[in-house]
Amino acid sequence: MASDPELALDLLAEDLPAAERQALALGLALRRGAGDRATDFYIPWAAPDGERYLVRLRCDGYDGQAPSFQFVNPGNPEETGPQWWARMGGLGYPRGDRGEVVFCTPGIREYHQHSSHRGEAHPKAVWKLARVVALTWTYLNQCGPYAGRGGV
């Protein structure tokens, strides 16, 4: 999807304060990637077994498209893959059209891009950054029980 990077930055600047308040209210930390022009945001999480995880919300093209939700290597956030995901016992793990793991819920880019959901119409409010922060909390706290790293 073609988008204006400057517009995405402006829209993120408008929505970031609400997302930061949402993260704080939910007990999550929301960090922006390097630089004030970054469109990646990170939510670190420590699992009950002490394993450390990092969720990347990639917001390029915001708000013309939903943020991407991917678990990434905490030591190298550009490295994605099923081995970095926190498994939750209450979930199945569908794959996207490119084979990536998908948190299959409206508001997540991979959901909206999947061939089985492209015909659905959702208002942009579904993927506002604060709501996606709340979806992250839902994944980490209500989709469980936690079942270890990877293997999804």
Side-chain angles (χ1 to χ4, degrees):
M1 162 178 279
S3 66
D4 177 355
E6 294 302 317
L7 178 59
L9 290 168
D10 289 346
L11 292 169
L12 283 167
E14 288 177 16
D15 290 352
L16 185 56
E20 290 171 331
R21 287 191 307 275
Q22 179 73 287
L24 185 64
L26 295 170
L28 298 173
L30 179 65
R31 299 179 318 187
R32 190 171 202 158
D36 60 355
R37 298 182 56 76
T39 57
D40 286 351
F41 294 85
Y42 299 95
I43 298 176
W45 182 66
D49 64 359
E51 283 281 342
R52 300 248 175 234
Y53 293 89
L54 188 62
V55 175
R56 181 186 66 206
L57 304 177
R58 180 156 279 171
C59 297
D60 57 320
Y62 189 83
D63 71 344
Q65 65 179 347
S68 170
F69 176 104
Q70 289 291 311
F71 280 88
V72 298
N73 178 345
N76 176 8
E78 288 305 311
E79 184 181 342
T80 64
Q83 70 273 23
W84 301 113
W85 279 68
R87 283 182 293 124
M88 298 299 176
L91 288 179
Y93 291 90
R95 299 296 175 135
D97 293 340
R98 295 178 310 278
E100 73 279 15
V101 179
V102 174
F103 177 27
C104 194
T105 191
I108 303 299
R109 181 183 304 176
E110 291 81 6
Y111 170 91
H112 295 282
Q113 290 179 340
H114 193 271
S115 57
S116 65
H117 299 292
R118 285 189 199 126
E120 297 175 10
H122 295 276
K124 288 182 181 182
V126 167
W127 59 72
K128 287 290 192 183
L129 189 55
R131 183 172 185 283
V132 176
V133 168
L135 289 173
T136 303
W137 183 90
T138 298
Y139 180 94
L140 298 172
N141 292 281
Q142 294 185 332
C143 292
Y146 171 72
R149 181 184 294 280
V152 296

